[in-house]
Amino acid sequence: MNMINNEYASMNGELGKILIVDDFRQARESMAETLKAAGHEVDCRSSAVEALKTLETERFDCVVTDLKMPGMTGLEFIIQIEQRKLGVQTVMVTAHASVATAVDAMRHGAFDYIEKPFNAEQFERLVGQAVRHGRLVSGERCSFPRIAAGTVPSEMVGASKLMEGLRERIAQVAPTPETALITGESGTGKELVARAVHASSDRAGKEFVSLNCPALSAQLLESELFGHERGAFTGADMQRIGRFELAEGGTLLLDEIAEIDPRLQAKLLRVLQERTFERVGSSKTIRADVRVLASTNRDLQKEVAEGRFREDLYFRLAVVPLHVPALRDRKEDIPELVEHFLARSAARLQRDPCVWDLSAQQLMLDYHWPGNVRELENIITRASVLHSGKTVGADELRRWLIAPPTGSVAQADASVSEPPVGISLEEMERKMIEATLERFGGHRAKTAQALGIGLRTLSGKLRQYGYAPREKSFLKAG
């Protein structure tokens, strides 16, 4: 398994020496085990103060730091790294509620951030990209193994007609240089499709880089895309290589592209048309040999009609559309997906796999899956952690599922919507809030809207329950 992970890490970045900083022992050890399995050399510290002392005497390629730590916070730690000019790439680990702080860390030189909970592959890929970014900045050469054309990631599981049709479309699109627009609901696996296009193309031996567009302000997003020169704006204390340069010769995925500011849409259109760009604060033109893929869970044609997205950019991106079906539309793939995720979780956790009994299997088939494949993997990972080597039934799984909306077709399924017996109203409320929060990836505004309560009320409830994101597992499908 390590050989496969090493190849994956090399394909998506570089192997390096990593320092993990987190006061929560379980999280620290889990992240360390994940990166070691991928082939990185890993060291750990329980505080930022201790880590700073280590960085003064040892060289690391990347530091992974939690945000909320006693004493010196992760943001303060990153500012210290910047001020001391330690020359190490940093990745911030944070909860959704603290994304604004994580973005602030990027203004102080952090390579990127990742939200809890996240899956191991997403984490490995980001750390690998941070290592490669550091070596590009320092002028070190980076090499990548060639991947056989036509190779599609094994995670693309399912033999349904919809999945077979998607594989056929990927096989048609991948060998061409054209841009592609990948559409589908959240959690369906749009990034997985993008990686499949990359892996099956003649760019497979080069870098696959992704950028989460909605998380960044217009100024920061421009800097992340095109890079900036030292002194280009307040806080730009060093040169930054943008994602277009990082993906040179490879593929760049712009995730949730509908969120890009209109001014940046015009700059992106120019890059797609002319294949050139300039770093922020520079007049030097750089050629871009990059294939661009874009993904969205919105109806871009509607966004164009309502004036929120440029029509010319839409046509440039949607040369070839790739639609990823919702899990509820391909339920025949669920048994195979369950087996795949059970085996993968067991291998990663180095534990015996769970066994799904008939009631659990039926529940999986009857459920409406609002969170799609991401929700399914999350549930299986949780079951693998809590019920290793045991038989799991519907009763164990039902409390982790989200009840369907009132009046929906899925609500007719009593096995899904039946409330558990012997649980207090307060605990029921708490479970519903936590499940809904998880369904929307930690987004509190969307959670409050779905629950029919105000944002302030939701925040008060979370404080009342002592909600602490760091106590949750960081594993979740990407």
Side-chain angles (χ1 to χ4, degrees), residues 12-88:
N12 289 280
E14 285 281 307
L15 299 179
K17 187 176 180 182
I18 316 299
L19 180 64
I20 294 176
V21 187
D22 196 316
D23 63 301
F24 189 44
R25 181 178 60 82
Q26 287 92 331
R28 192 168 65 238
E29 291 177 353
S30 293
M31 288 188 285
E33 289 174 6
T34 296
L35 294 181
K36 286 177 181 177
H40 295 282
E41 180 182 349
V42 184
D43 203 352
C44 296
R45 296 293 181 270
S46 59
S47 73
V49 173
E50 186 183 5
L52 273 176
K53 292 178 181 178
T54 301
L55 289 171
E56 293 286 1
T57 58
E58 294 185 50
R59 181 186 179 280
F60 288 85
D61 295 294
C62 178
V63 172
V64 178
T65 178
D66 191 31
L67 171 58
K68 294 185 178 180
M69 296 184 289
M72 185 184 296
T73 67
L75 177 58
E76 293 168 340
F77 178 38
I78 286 175
I79 291 173
Q80 283 293 315
I81 289 174
E82 179 190 35
Q83 291 176 348
R84 298 184 189 197
K85 302 186 185 303
L86 295 176
V88 62

Side-chain angles (χ1 to χ4, degrees), residues 350-363:
Q350 296 185 336
R351 298 180 179 181
D352 293 332
C354 301
V355 177
W356 251 226
D357 73 8
L358 290 176
S359 66
Q361 294 175 35
Q362 190 59 48
L363 180 61

Side-chain angles (χ1 to χ4, degrees), residues 98-331:
S98 303
V99 163
T101 306
V103 171
D104 194 27
M106 293 177 69
R107 294 192 180 96
H108 289 282
F111 173 72
D112 209 336
Y113 70 92
I114 189 167
E115 292 179 53
K116 301 176 185 178
F118 50 84
N119 73 8
E121 286 82 3
Q122 182 186 11
F123 182 53
E124 291 169 10
R125 187 164 58 252
L126 181 58
V127 170
Q129 289 179 2
V131 172
R132 171 164 163 74
H133 182 269
R135 291 176 181 171
L136 279 174
V137 171
S138 65
E140 293 183 30
R141 292 177 63 91
C142 302
S143 60
F144 298 89
R146 180 76 182 171
I147 302 169
T151 302
V152 176
S154 60
E155 288 85 354
M156 286 198 66
V157 175
S160 63
K161 287 185 178 180
L162 287 174
M163 285 302 291
E164 288 297 336
L166 179 58
R167 287 193 190 90
E168 289 176 7
R169 181 63 68 91
I170 289 172
Q172 292 173 328
V173 172
T176 75
E178 302 300 336
T179 57
L181 179 64
I182 305 168
T183 60
E185 297 177 7
S186 295
T188 50
K190 295 188 291 296
E191 183 171 338
L192 184 63
V193 170
R195 285 194 277 124
V197 171
H198 172 74
S200 301
S201 73
D202 59 2
R203 296 175 179 265
K206 298 293 185 177
E207 182 81 349
F208 175 88
V209 176
S210 62
L211 180 63
N212 184 20
C213 297
L216 307 176
S217 65
Q219 182 189 42
L220 198 53
L221 182 57
E222 182 177 10
S223 175
E224 284 301 308
L225 282 171
F226 309 121
H228 65 246
E229 298 294 343
R230 182 177 180 180
F233 51 84
T234 303
D237 296 328
M238 61 181 68
Q239 184 189 72
R240 187 176 186 88
I241 302 296
R243 301 300 170 101
F244 269 99
E245 287 182 78
L246 194 60
E248 177 65 19
T251 303
L252 174 62
L253 170 64
L254 301 177
D255 191 21
E256 299 306 337
I257 196 166
E259 307 289 343
I260 288 185
D261 181 85
R263 183 178 64 87
L264 268 182
Q265 290 179 24
K267 288 197 171 187
L268 180 59
L269 178 64
R270 181 206 161 195
V271 178
L272 293 177
Q273 290 175 332
E274 302 178 13
R275 300 292 175 181
T276 60
F277 65 94
E278 292 82 35
R279 292 178 187 156
V280 178
S282 172
S283 59
K284 180 183 177 181
T285 298
I286 301 172
R287 292 206 62 81
D289 177 20
V290 177
R291 182 183 193 172
V292 175
L293 304 176
S295 71
T296 182
N297 59 15
R298 294 192 187 184
D299 182 345
L300 273 195
Q301 290 181 322
K302 182 179 179 182
E303 296 294 306
V304 169
E306 295 179 358
R308 290 190 293 269
F309 200 83
R310 292 180 64 111
E311 185 178 43
D312 47 4
L313 179 57
Y314 168 74
F315 286 123
R316 273 284 174 181
L317 293 170
V319 174
V320 184
L322 291 168
H323 182 70
V324 188
L327 184 56
R328 63 180 172 275
D329 295 329
R330 58 180 187 106
K331 285 191 174 182

